[in-house]
Amino acid sequence: MSELTLVLSLLIAVIVPRLALRYLQPILMPTLRRLCEQSRAGTGDAATEPHSAEAHSGAEFWWRVLNVLAISGSLLLVLTFGYSDGWAVSLNDFLRRTLWLVTMGVFLSVAAVASQIWARLPRAAAPATVPSPAPSAAGPISMPASSSVAAIQPGAAS
């Protein structure tokens, strides 16, 4: 059964990340294309049009990087921390540990790419006024004069 558990764990480590990435692909590819177009436009190259081949190839590159990260990360975790003796473990314990390791590999790779995408998204402007809280039974709450929206906004001048 040890050969069977090895083969089964490797199949799970390849199939589960592919399923997760297939779920992400319809929304992630347009997002990657848009970010690649924005970064290309930010270089000052006015000769390129917004839907250039370079933006599509950049998005395709990052999509393939995410695929390699998710699959190889899952495989590494399963091969490193998976069960080595398939005879002494029940099928339920084997599947639970394998799925846990594969899920961790997918999570880490998607989190790494998502954090890079999140860092490049433009920040929405905060509202200029802060709505006042509803009066409570204890009376109105007063805010100190030094606290303002501009003081807590990132990038605001002090």
Side-chain angles (χ1 to χ4, degrees):
M1 184 161 159
S2 143
E3 292 85 13
L4 179 63
T5 57
L6 175 65
V7 170
L8 186 59
S9 65
L10 294 178
L11 281 174
I12 291 171
V14 171
I15 291 171
V16 170
R18 289 297 303 147
L19 290 174
L21 293 173
R22 183 168 294 183
Y23 171 74
L24 288 174
Q25 187 176 14
I27 191 66
L28 189 57
M29 287 304 288
T31 303
L32 289 173
R33 281 189 198 105
R34 202 172 24 236
L35 287 173
C36 289
E37 289 169 1
Q38 288 173 355
S39 66
R40 182 114 178 117
T43 62
D45 189 4
T48 62
E49 57 187 37
H51 298 291
S52 65
E54 290 85 12
H56 290 289
S57 65
E60 184 66 27
F61 169 77
W62 288 112
W63 175 250
R64 290 179 188 209
V65 166
L66 180 58
N67 277 279
V68 169
L69 280 174
I71 293 171
S72 64
S74 296
L75 283 170
L76 277 170
L77 286 172
V78 166
L79 289 172
T80 304
F81 300 110
Y83 287 112
S84 60
D85 185 17
W87 294 105
V89 66
S90 72
L91 183 62
N92 287 338
D93 289 337
F94 162 75
L95 287 175
R96 182 179 180 272
R97 184 176 196 144
T98 302
L99 287 173
W100 190 91
L101 291 168
V102 169
T103 304
M104 182 59 70
V106 171
F107 176 81
L108 291 175
S109 59
V110 170
V113 172
S115 69
Q116 292 301 311
I117 291 172
W118 185 263
R120 284 161 180 69
L121 292 178
R123 302 289 181 246
T129 61
V130 176
S132 61
S136 66
I141 299 172
S142 61
M143 301 279 291
S146 64
S147 85
S148 69
V149 174
I152 59 173
Q153 288 180 348
S158 298

